[in-house]
Amino acid sequence: RAIAQGILEKMTSGVAWLAATISGKSTIICVVTEDLIIKGFKAGELVNEVAQIAGGKGGGKPNMAQAGVKNPEKINVALAAAPDFVRKKLSN
């Protein structure tokens, strides 16, 4: 979470994703800058969409959200799909 917060503080505009497996537990974190929150982006919704690909579920605040992942072997696939969810949101 500290790394995600640091990224969020340095980004001027964007969405960022982090993933890690520590002590056998896998997590995906999404951060969203304020300008995109105003446009309807919510980290909780985005992280939930991506985490579902890896058997996970999560939520959080509009600017930062976290999801637990049950299938860590699918994290790369989930993260690869993340830009598609952002593009879909942009087109709505």
Side-chain angles (χ1 to χ4, degrees):
R1 287 179 161 265
I3 294 170
Q5 184 64 41
I7 290 170
L8 184 58
E9 290 170 3
K10 290 183 182 356
M11 279 195 315
T12 55
S13 180
V15 176
W17 302 88
L18 293 93
T21 299
I22 300 171
S23 300
K25 295 189 179 197
S26 298
T27 302
I28 297 174
I29 296 178
C30 176
V31 294
V32 178
T33 56
E34 192 65 35
D35 65 312
L36 294 180
I37 293 169
I38 292 168
K39 293 181 179 181
F41 285 79
K42 294 179 183 163
E45 291 175 6
L46 291 169
V47 81
N48 216 10
E49 292 276 346
V50 171
Q52 286 178 14
I53 295 169
K57 186 175 179 181
K61 297 180 181 181
N63 68 335
M64 184 186 305
Q66 180 174 327
V69 175
K70 294 180 183 175
N71 302 314
E73 69 280 0
K74 294 184 179 179
I75 288 177
N76 287 340
V77 174
L79 291 177
D84 293 333
F85 291 111
V86 174
R87 281 196 243 352
K88 180 179 170 186
K89 188 78 174 166
L90 281 170
S91 67
N92 288 339

